[in-house]
Each structure stands twice: as structure tokens, then as C-alpha cells.
């Protein structure tokens, strides 16, 4: 098997690669050629979380698992709190084929999913991008969104305002004017990306204008929430995978209070393969509930492995 360490990923997988790989994966899921196994997520105590996201893609010839979690004590040890590694196996034999560092890949595949939703569901004339959140993932999200629409301005809100200048620097790099705003000013946005670890809704229905596309990317666990449930219920809801959306995604709250019918949630893959038209009117609010599926991780890890083989990079070991 090939070991591809975290340090090599940036030179092997680009945001464009991640976009193409995740798009192909969502389409394979919609065609029934790929499916995710149930997510395992366990609290280890002292704030530590650990879990597994896995799946099989028959058309892409991919089988594997991302193992990882959140270890709040790591920062004091000089390593990052989020840790993850992707393991790939030969779907015909079960033999391990690769072990790949999963940190940057997670950010790339998550930003790609959000960008695919903006590409397919946001109005073509979207000009103002709203960012809710300014942590590690937010910069990747901003860069990916800027690739799919001609934004002219970025407005941003974060619970911790001291984190916003770092996001502003990325907007400046992209040549986009950046303004920190109160949540009420999100009515000016055509597209809003939410990427926080919030346990309660920040973004309310009153903060949104008709015709907005929301990419809700932060809620990936039971109990997290970024957006008011009534706003989710009033939107046309799309997701990476319905089973995750209703259990660990942003839609969990609206489904739990019965204001949203799980059967009305559309997999984004259905839009990609032409089974669903996506946005129907300019005034419709579309919402992508990006929960993060294991198959996304396998797809980008497979790109890293292919490139590493082509360039004779990584370390080969017998297991
Ligand atoms: P981070 O720790 O770097 O940043 C956390 C962000 O949440 C910051 O903007 C912070 O100000 C904000 N925040 C913290 N507590 C808050 C609260 N009580 N109310 C509102 N905002 C609050 O984290 P990150 O790596 O940027 O990840 C952000 C979120 O995205 C996390 O919830 C993470 O689990 C999730 N995530 C989702 C996917 C996916 O596929 N959907 C992938 C990776 C990360």
C-alpha cells in the first residue's frame, strides 16, 4: 500500500480536482452506483470526538473509510485539534491500497461540495457573497465560492469578530471588497455560506432575502445548528445525503419539529444528473445542507493516490 502524508496533499490535489471528484461522487450516489455506510461518531470524554465515515463507489472502484475526530488537547501539544486519515481498500479483494493524510483533503472536499451547490443552485446574477463563520474552513469556502460566481463583494459575520480580518485577507487576495456586518445585513447577500460550530441558530429567516442560496456547511453532528428551523422549512432543501441531513445535518431540527418533510429533501446528485431541475424561480430560497459524506473523502483521497503514483511520491509499504 501507498502512504501519502499530509505534507504532500497540497501539491497533489487542487480545488478544481476536488470539485470534479466530488461532483462525480454525488452523481454516482444519485445513480445508485455509490453509497455511504452509516456514520459512527463517539464521544471519548473530555471533549474528544472520534468517528468513521465510509462507503463504496462501484463505478469509481473505491472502498474505504475516513477515521478521525476532534481532540481539544492537541493545540497545547503543538498539533491541530482536528485529526483525520483516509484508508482506501481494493473493493474486489479488501486489500489495503493507501493511507492518506485527511486534513487538507477534508477542507477541499467540503469547500467543493458547497461550491457545487452554488454553481447549480444560486442565481446566475449573484454578486454579494455572505459568510457566516471565520474559522479554519471558512477561507477554503470563500475561495471555492469565488470560483463559481462573479462576486463583487463579500460581507461577513462571526460570533468572534477578531477572527474576521483573516477572512478579509483572503477576500483581498481574491480582489473582493470585504465588510464585517451585523447578521441583519445578510439581507444584502445573494449567496450565504454558513460554516460555524454553533450549537444554536445564528441566521434567522428575517436575515435572508428572497432568491438567496444558502450553503449550510457547519452542522455535521446531532445538536449543532446554524440556521433557524423555520428558514430551513421555508426553503427548497438539497443535500449531499438525505439520511445524514435529517439526522446530523442542518435539516435535523426542522424535520424533528415536523415543519419539514424528509421526503421533500433532494440529493444534490439528482440535480447533477438532470433528475431534478434545481432552482425553479429567481425568488426561491435554495438551501444546501452539506453534512459531509465518506464518499467525498474517498474521492479526493483517490485523486491524491493517483497523482502520487504518477509522480513516484509517497512511501510504499507491505501490510
Ligand atoms: P473552527 O474551530 O476553525 O471555527 C469555528 C467557527 O465557529 C468560528 O467561526 C467560530 O467563531 C464559530 N463559533 C464557535 N462557537 C460558536 C457559537 N456558539 N455560535 C456561533 N459561531 C460559533 O472550525 P472549522 O474547522 O472552521 O469548522 C467549522 C464547522 O464546520 C465545524 O462545526 C465543523 O465540524 C464543520 N465541518 C463540516 C464539514 C462538512 O463536511 N459539512 C467538514 C469540516 C468541518
Amino acid at each position: 500500500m501507498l502512504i501519502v502524508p499530509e505534507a504532500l496533499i497540497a501539491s497533489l490535489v487542487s480545488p478544481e480536482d476536488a470539485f470534479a471528484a466530488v461532483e462525480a461522487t454525488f452523481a454516482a450516489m444519485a445513480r445508485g452506483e455509490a453509497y455511504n455506510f452509516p456514520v459512527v461518531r463517539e464521544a471519548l470524554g473530555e471533549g474528544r470526538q472520534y468517528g468513521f465515515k465510509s462507503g463504496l463507489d462501484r463505478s469509481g472502484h473505491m472502498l474505504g473509510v475516513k477515521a478521525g475526530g476532534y481532540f481539544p488537547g492537541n493545540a497545547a501539544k503543538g498539533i491541530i485539534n482536528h485529526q483525520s486519515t483516509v484508508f482506501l481498500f481494493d473493493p474486489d479483494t479488501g486489500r489495503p491500497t493507501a493511507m492518506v493524510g485527511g486534513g487538507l483533503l477534508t477542507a477541499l472536499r467540503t469547500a467543493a461540495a458547497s461550491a457545487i451547490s452554488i454553481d447549480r443552485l444560486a442565481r446566475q446574477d449573484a454578486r454579494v457573497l455572505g459568510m457566516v463563520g471565520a474559522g479554519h474552513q471558512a477561507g477554503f469556502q470563500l475561495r471555492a465560492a469565488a470560483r463559481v460566481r462573479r462576486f463583487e463583494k463579500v460581507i461577513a459575520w462571526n460570533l468572534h469578530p477578531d477572527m474576521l480580518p483573516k477572512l478579509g485577507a483572503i477576500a483581498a487576495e481574491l480582489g473582493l471588497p470585504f465588510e464585517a456586518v451585523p447578521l441583519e445585513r445578510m439581507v444584502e447577500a445573494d449567496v450565504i455560506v454558513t460554516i460555524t460550530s454553533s450549537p444554536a441558530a445564528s441566521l434567522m429567516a428575517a436575515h435572508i432575502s428572497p432568491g438567496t442560496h444558502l450553503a449550510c456547511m457547519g452542522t455535521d453532528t446531532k445538536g449543532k445548528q446554524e440556521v433557524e428551523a423555520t428558514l430551513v422549512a421555508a426553503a427548497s432543501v438539497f443535500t449531499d445525503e438525505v439520511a445524514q441531513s435529517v439526522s446530523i445535518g442542518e435539516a435535523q431540527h426542522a424535520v424533528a419539529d415536523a415543519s419539514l418533510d424528509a421526503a421533500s429533501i433532494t440529493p444534490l446528485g439528482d440535480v447533477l444528473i438532470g433528475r431534478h431541475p434545481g432552482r425553479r424561480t429567481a425568488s426561491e430560497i435554495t438551501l444546501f445542507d452539506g453534512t459531509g459524506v465518506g464518499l467525498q473523502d474517498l474521492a479526493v483521497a483517490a485523486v491524491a493516490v493517483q497523482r502520487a503514483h504518477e509522480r513516484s511520491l509517497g512511501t510504499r509499504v507491505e501490510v
Side-chain angles (χ1 to χ4, degrees):
M1 86 176 208
L2 187 69
I3 298 176
V4 185
E6 184 70 48
L8 279 180
I9 301 298
S11 66
L12 296 173
V13 184
S14 69
E16 290 79 7
D17 294 328
F19 188 98
V22 173
E23 215 174 35
T25 292
F26 286 169
M29 285 165 61
R31 286 192 298 264
E33 296 162 358
Y35 69 104
N36 295 287
F37 306 156
V39 174
V40 174
R41 200 161 169 90
E42 291 290 320
L44 304 184
E46 293 146 7
R48 292 168 300 161
Q49 294 275 340
Y50 190 62
F52 307 97
K53 284 187 169 178
S54 53
L56 168 68
D57 183 340
R58 287 195 181 86
S59 52
H61 205 68
M62 286 183 278
L63 171 69
V65 57
K66 178 168 85 171
Y70 185 72
F71 298 81
N74 281 6
K77 299 171 188 159
I79 46 178
I80 59 171
N81 291 345
H82 285 277
Q83 291 290 324
S84 67
T85 309
V86 184
F87 298 87
L88 297 177
F89 300 86
D90 181 334
D92 297 326
T93 64
R95 292 282 297 155
T97 55
M99 176 176 144
V100 188
L104 177 57
L105 286 181
T106 297
L108 290 172
R109 64 76 145 148
T110 306
S114 169
I116 293 164
S117 85
I118 296 168
D119 188 36
R120 298 292 177 145
L121 299 171
R123 296 189 334 266
Q124 286 296 336
D125 64 354
R127 292 294 174 264
V128 179
L129 173 63
M131 295 292 305
V132 174
H136 179 68
Q137 303 293 331
F140 293 92
Q141 293 284 327
L142 171 51
R143 286 182 199 281
R147 264 183 221 104
V148 291
R149 282 294 180 275
R150 287 202 193 94
F151 291 113
E152 293 171 354
K153 182 178 182 180
V154 179
I155 57 176
W157 176 88
N158 195 48
L159 182 69
H160 309 102
D162 52 308
M163 296 169 81
L164 284 167
K166 205 170 152 201
L167 195 61
I170 293 171
E173 236 182 75
L174 297 168
L176 290 168
F178 180 89
E179 191 181 356
V181 297
L183 277 167
E184 289 71 22
R185 290 232 356 238
M186 283 292 155
V187 289
E188 295 169 27
D190 303 305
V191 171
I192 301 174
V193 176
T194 64
I195 185 74
T196 70
S197 51
S198 176
S202 309
L203 199 65
M204 303 297 172
H207 300 148
I208 307 297
S209 290
T212 303
H213 173 66
L214 291 153
C216 299
M217 305 305 297
T219 298
D220 57 357
T221 305
K222 200 170 165 48
K224 285 188 190 172
Q225 184 174 13
E226 300 190 283
V227 172
E228 190 180 22
T230 54
L231 171 54
V232 178
S236 301
V237 181
F238 298 82
T239 188
D240 40 24
E241 192 186 84
V242 175
Q244 289 193 193
S245 172
V246 302
S247 56
I248 58 172
E250 195 58 50
Q252 62 180 287
H253 308 286
V255 169
D257 72 17
S259 57
L260 179 71
D261 181 359
S264 71
I265 303 175
T266 305
L268 186 55
D270 281 6
V271 180
L272 298 178
I273 66 167
R275 190 186 285 151
H276 188 286
R279 167 177 292 278
R280 289 189 169 99
T281 69
S283 60
E284 180 181 7
I285 293 171
T286 51
L287 185 151
F288 175 64
D289 185 2
T291 65
V293 295
L295 287 169
Q296 279 172 267
D297 297 303
L298 307 193
V300 287
V303 174
V305 171
Q306 187 195 330
R307 295 273 161 74
H309 275 301
E310 287 164 5
R311 298 177 200 170
S312 301
L313 294 171
T315 306
R316 256 160 253 275
V317 292
E318 284 304 319
V319 290

